[in-house]
Amino acid sequence: MSRRREALVVVLLLLVHAALAITSLSVKSATFDEPAHIAGGLLFWERGDFRQFAASGMLPQRLMAMPLLGLDIAIPPADDPAWERGGLWTMTARITHNPDNPYDAMLIRARLTTVLMSLCFAVGVFALARRLGGQSAGLVALFLYAFSPTVLAHARLATSDLLAAGCLFLVVGATWHLCHRITLGRIALVGVAIGAVLTAKMSGLLALPMLAILVGIRLLRAVDLPVALPRIRRRLRGPASRALGLSLAFAAAGVIAWLAIYALYDFRFSARPGISGGFAPTWDEMLGEPAERPMTYQIVGMARDARLLPEAYLWGLLYTLDTAGTRNAFLDGKSSMTGWRSFFPKTVLYKTPLPLMGLVLLALLAWPLGSNRWRWRVMPWVVLLGVYWSSVLLSQLNIGHRHILVTYPVLFLIAAGIGRWFDGAKTPARPGMPPTRTLKVASISLLALFASESFRVAPHYLAYFNQLVGGPSHGWRHLVDSSLDWGQDVPALEAHIAAVHEERPGYPVHVAYFGTEPLHRYRLPVSWAYTFMRTRPPMQLPPRLRPGRYAVSVTLLQSLYLGQRLLGPWDDDDEANYRQLRDVMEPVYRATDTATYREALATRPIEQWEPIFAEWERHRMAKLAHYLRRTEPITQLGWSINVYELSSTELAEALGTSAPSDSDADSVPSSTGADGNAAGAGGS
C-alpha cells in the first residue's frame, strides 16, 4: 500500500474512533468522577486552589478545564465560607449544580478534550506497531484501538484514566529510546514524559521502577551507547562509561520533570496562594503519630518539610496511600473491603472481546519470537506489563476495570503481528501451523467480529461484557462500580420514566441512583429517589415505598456503598437491625396530622431523628436490593440500571411487611418540614 493510501486509512480510522466516542458522550450523563475533575480543573485555573481532587491528577484536570475558561461560569467568591469548610464534593456541587452555569457545555467541552487525547494516543499506538511489524501491523493496531469498547468507554470521559495510560506508554517508550542514544531532544522528552505521568495519576509512580529496570537491562547489554549532544559526539564503550552517561542523562531528565511538575502547580509549594494546609483530612490526621508512621508516610512527610515537591501533590500522594488499603469492592456476587488477587485477571477475562483474545493467539504465530532483535525491541512493553500487573495483583484497590486500561494498547501491539501475513512476510515453519491463506482469512474474520462487538454494545461501551458471562445483560452479576455502572445512564432513565407516564399517567416510579449527576436537571417525576450522594433535606421523612416501577442502579443493587455494615449478602444481623428501625419508624408513618406527627417525634430527642432517618433509608434500600437481586428485571437501561415491576404483594414480601393498600398515603403536612412524598428527584 502506498504511503498516501496508508495515510487515508489512518485518517479514516481516527475519524471513525472520534465519531463513535462523540456519539456516545452525547447520550450519556456525567459519570461519578467527571464533575469533580471539571470543578477541580476550574479551581486550579481560576482560583489557584490545588486542594480540590488533589489525588486524581493535576495534568488531566488542567487540560480538561482549559476549553471551559471562555465560558461564563460562576465560582464561589474568595470570601465564601465554603472555601474553608467545604471539601471536594461541596465545591463541586457549588459549581456543577448551579443552574446559572452552562453545565452541558462544560461537560461536553471537557469530554471532547479527552477525545482529542485519545486520538493522539491512537497515533502513538499506530506508529509503534508500524515500527515493530510494518505497515499492516500499524493499521491492525490502529483498527483495534479505534473499535475497542474498553478504549471507547474512557475515550469520551472527563477523567484521568485514558491520559494516565497514554503517559505511561509515552514514558516507557521515551526511556527506551534514550537508553539507546543520548540526545538533547530525547532527554527533554523523557523529562517531560516523567513529569506528565507523575501528574496524570498517582499510579504514575509505577513509571519509576519501570524506568530503573529498563536502564538496568540496557546496561547489561555490552553495546556502545552513542551520545549526540551539542559539542559532544562520541560512543560510550565500557560499562562504567555507559552507566555514567545514562546516569547523567536521566539526572537531567529528572530536573526537567521536577520543573514540569512545579510548573503545573504555578511554581508554588503551597496549595493556595500564600497559604499552606487547609486540606480535609489534614496532614496531621493522615500522618498520625510520628512513632507509628509507615516508612512511606515518613518519606512523604519529609518531602513536605523539605518542600521537594508541591504541597498539593504530596498530600494527594499521601491520601492515595492512606485510602488504597481498604475500599468497597465487588466481584462475582461477593463484596469485600480488601479485594481479591483474582479481581483484575477476571475483569480482563470478562470485559475483553473474545475476538481480541483470538487475534493475540494468532499473532503469536506471526511474530518472530525466536529473534533476539525482536525480543529486544518489545522489552519496554514486557517491563511495563510486568511491573504494572505485579502492582495491581498486590493492590487492594479493586474498584474498576479502568485501572488496567494500559494493558489494552499492549494487547493491540501483540495482536498487530497478524499484519505480517498481509505484508507478505514469511513466518517460520512450525509443526501443525495452518497455511498463510487460512491464517489471513481467520485474521480478517476476527477483526470483523471485533468491530461488530463494538457496534453491538454502542453507545454503552462502559457496560461491555463478553460472551463468557452472557454479555452486558449479565454483567451486573460479576462487576459493578466503574466497571459497569458509573452513573452514566440518567438520560435513558429520563426517557423510560417519560414513556411510563405517557402510557400510565401518575404511575408510581421509584429510583435508586448511583452517581453524582445533579438529578434536578432532568424531568424525573418520581415517588421516591434514593441517591448515593443523598441530598434529602434535613428532617425530611423518607417516603413510603409504593407498588409500581423500580429503577435501580446495579451498584446500589449489589449494596456496595450502603455502609460497611451492610456490605455483602443480607444476613440475620441486617434483618434484626432493619426490623428494629422499622418499629421505630412505624409510629411516625402512621401520623395523620401535624399534632400526631410531633407527638411521634417527641418520643426521643429531636437531634436523634435525622441519623435514624438516614440509617432507615440505607437499611430499607439494602433490604429491597436483597429481594430484587433474586428477581429478573423487566428491562435494563444501558445495562447499568435494572428496572423492576413490583405489585403490592411483591413489595410486601421484599420489605417484610403486610401488603399496603393502593390508597395508603403519607399524610404528614408539608408545613412540618417532613413531607413524606418526594416532590421530585432532588429528594431521597
Side-chain angles (χ1 to χ4, degrees):
M1 184 186 297
S2 67
R3 296 297 295 270
R4 186 173 183 179
R5 288 186 178 180
E6 179 189 29
L8 289 174
V9 174
V10 169
V11 170
L12 177 61
L13 287 173
L14 292 175
L15 290 175
V16 169
H17 179 70
L20 292 173
I22 292 171
T23 52
S24 176
L25 72 84
S26 64
V27 297
K28 294 288 181 178
S29 53
T31 55
F32 199 100
D33 290 352
E34 287 182 279
H37 278 287
I38 293 170
L42 280 171
L43 296 176
F44 297 160
W45 285 109
E46 299 285 0
R47 294 287 186 267
D49 188 336
F50 303 140
R51 296 173 300 160
Q52 312 301 326
F53 229 29
S56 292
M58 168 65 75
L59 179 60
Q61 293 179 77
R62 284 270 201 182
L63 292 175
M64 289 182 292
M66 284 182 66
L68 280 58
L69 299 179
L71 297 174
D72 184 15
I73 300 173
I75 296 176
D79 58 353
D80 192 311
W83 285 102
E84 294 301 328
R85 70 170 185 266
L88 166 67
W89 296 109
T90 299
M91 297 305 297
T92 296
R94 295 289 296 274
I95 294 172
T96 60
H97 292 201
N98 187 338
D100 295 328
N101 283 339
Y103 181 73
D104 287 335
M106 294 162 59
L107 183 61
I108 289 175
R109 290 191 182 195
R111 285 177 162 183
L112 288 176
T113 304
T114 308
V115 174
L116 182 59
M117 296 179 198
S118 184
L119 294 175
C120 294
F121 195 2
V123 172
V125 170
F126 162 75
L128 179 59
R130 193 182 194 285
R131 181 174 179 272
L132 287 175
Q135 184 183 76
S136 294
L139 294 177
V140 168
L142 181 58
F143 181 93
L144 295 172
Y145 185 100
F147 287 101
S148 169
T150 299
V151 173
L152 287 167
H154 300 282
R156 78 292 191 274
L157 299 182
T159 59
S160 59
D161 299 294
L162 185 108
L163 181 62
C167 288
L168 193 56
F169 220 69
L170 172 64
V171 75
V172 167
T175 294
W176 198 234
H177 277 289
L178 181 57
C179 285
H180 290 78
R181 182 179 175 85
I182 299 177
T183 69
L184 203 58
R186 293 187 181 191
I187 291 173
L189 179 60
V190 169
V192 171
I194 293 173
V197 77
L198 293 180
T199 55
K201 206 172 184 179
M202 290 304 166
S203 59
L205 286 167
L206 291 174
L208 300 183
M210 294 177 193
L211 182 152
I213 291 171
L214 289 173
V215 171
I217 291 173
R218 175 61 182 89
L219 291 176
L220 291 175
R221 194 182 190 198
V223 176
D224 293 352
L225 176 61
V227 178
L229 298 173
R231 300 183 180 180
I232 301 177
R233 295 289 189 277
R234 60 179 303 175
R235 301 181 72 85
L236 304 179
R237 302 183 184 281
S241 61
R242 288 196 298 271
L244 178 61
L246 286 177
S247 298
L248 293 175
F250 280 97
V255 172
I256 295 172
W258 180 78
L259 290 172
I261 292 172
Y262 255 107
L264 280 173
Y265 289 87
D266 293 345
F267 292 102
R268 194 179 76 222
F269 169 76
S270 60
R272 291 176 290 175
I275 306 175
S276 293
F279 294 96
T282 65
W283 276 102
D284 290 341
E285 288 172 341
M286 287 198 296
L287 285 172
E289 295 297 327
E292 300 175 356
R293 294 174 186 171
M295 180 61 70
T296 50
Y297 285 43
Q298 294 181 40
I299 293 172
V300 175
M302 289 187 292
R304 180 198 63 166
D305 295 339
R307 299 195 170 197
L308 293 180
L309 289 168
E311 179 188 30
Y313 179 83
L314 292 171
W315 183 90
L317 175 58
L318 186 60
Y319 181 82
T320 301
L321 292 172
D322 198 53
T323 58
T326 56
R327 291 288 293 272
N328 301 57
F330 175 83
L331 176 67
D332 293 337
K334 298 179 181 178
S335 300
S336 171
M337 291 297 295
T338 55
W340 305 267
R341 294 285 182 266
S342 62
F343 180 85
F344 286 111
K346 284 189 174 181
T347 61
V348 171
L349 184 65
Y350 297 163
K351 291 183 68 70
T352 301
L354 297 182
L356 177 58
M357 297 183 189
L359 287 167
V360 168
L361 294 176
L362 279 180
L364 295 178
L365 300 175
W367 285 118
L369 300 180
S371 167
N372 289 332
R373 183 171 179 270
W374 183 83
R375 288 201 297 265
W376 188 254
R377 294 175 73 176
V378 300
M379 186 61 69
W381 320 115
V382 173
V383 170
L384 187 157
L385 284 185
V387 173
Y388 199 88
W389 272 89
S390 296
S391 172
V392 299
L393 288 175
L394 296 174
S395 172
Q396 295 176 320
L397 191 67
N398 292 175
I399 60 174
H401 182 231
R402 59 195 172 95
H403 290 286
I404 52 170
L405 184 60
V406 74
T407 302
Y408 286 86
V410 179
L411 291 181
F412 302 156
L413 293 181
I414 298 173
I418 64 169
R420 293 172 58 82
W421 294 315
F422 299 99
D423 282 336
K426 294 183 179 179
T427 58
R430 298 176 192 172
M433 184 171 172
T436 300
R437 179 179 178 82
T438 301
L439 293 171
K440 285 183 180 180
V441 172
S443 298
I444 293 173
S445 300
L446 288 171
L447 288 171
L449 287 172
F450 180 83
S452 70
E453 288 289 282
S454 181
F455 287 121
R456 180 174 65 87
V457 77
H460 314 297
Y461 300 111
L462 193 62
Y464 178 81
F465 284 81
N466 63 33
Q467 292 79 3
L468 293 179
V469 295
S473 63
H474 294 276
W476 65 276
R477 302 181 188 277
H478 302 276
L479 296 169
V480 290
D481 207 338
S482 61
S483 298
L484 168 59
D485 167 32
W486 218 7
Q488 71 272 16
D489 281 312
V490 183
L493 177 63
E494 180 184 39
H496 179 78
I497 293 175
V500 169
H501 285 164
E502 182 178 358
E503 181 180 348
R504 306 170 71 178
Y507 189 69
V509 177
H510 310 75
V511 170
Y513 170 66
F514 174 74
T516 55
E517 183 76 336
L519 294 182
H520 65 263
R521 299 178 56 248
Y522 298 86
R523 296 181 297 277
L524 300 177
V526 297
S527 302
W528 169 72
Y530 180 93
T531 62
F532 173 76
M533 301 301 284
R534 286 189 292 281
T535 56
R536 175 178 53 78
M539 289 303 296
Q540 184 187 67
L541 178 66
R544 286 187 185 273
L545 302 184
R546 302 287 175 215
R549 192 67 54 93
Y550 283 78
V552 183
S553 292
V554 295
T555 301
L556 294 179
L557 186 64
Q558 298 293 1
S559 299
L560 188 57
Y561 289 108
L562 298 179
Q564 190 169 346
R565 287 195 302 174
L566 292 168
L567 189 67
W570 188 261
D571 57 25
D572 292 341
D573 289 340
D574 297 330
E575 182 67 24
N577 292 333
Y578 170 78
R579 290 177 180 272
Q580 184 179 8
L581 286 165
R582 186 185 64 190
D583 293 342
V584 172
M585 293 295 298
E586 272 306 309
V588 182
Y589 280 127
R590 285 199 299 267
T592 57
D593 53 39
T594 302
T596 55
Y597 179 75
R598 289 177 176 171
E599 183 179 337
L601 294 184
T603 58
R604 63 184 66 229
I606 193 67
E607 64 271 10
Q608 292 184 11
W609 281 105
E610 177 56 31
I612 289 174
F613 286 171
E615 197 65 22
W616 165 246
E617 279 193 298
R618 285 192 290 270
H619 276 76
R620 186 174 63 173
M621 181 68 242
K623 175 77 168 175
L624 178 65
H626 171 63
Y627 176 83
L628 294 178
R629 286 196 294 268
R630 296 170 292 156
T631 307
E632 286 299 318
I634 62 172
T635 189
Q636 294 176 296
L637 308 178
W639 293 301
S640 75
I641 299 176
N642 282 8
V643 180
Y644 302 87
E645 193 80 36
L646 295 182
S647 65
S648 297
T649 303
E650 291 168 331
L651 182 61
E653 181 183 351
L655 299 180
T657 60
S658 58
S661 167
D662 290 340
S663 62
D664 185 22
D666 300 322
S667 56
V668 179
S670 60
S671 60
T672 67
D675 185 3
N677 294 306
S684 58

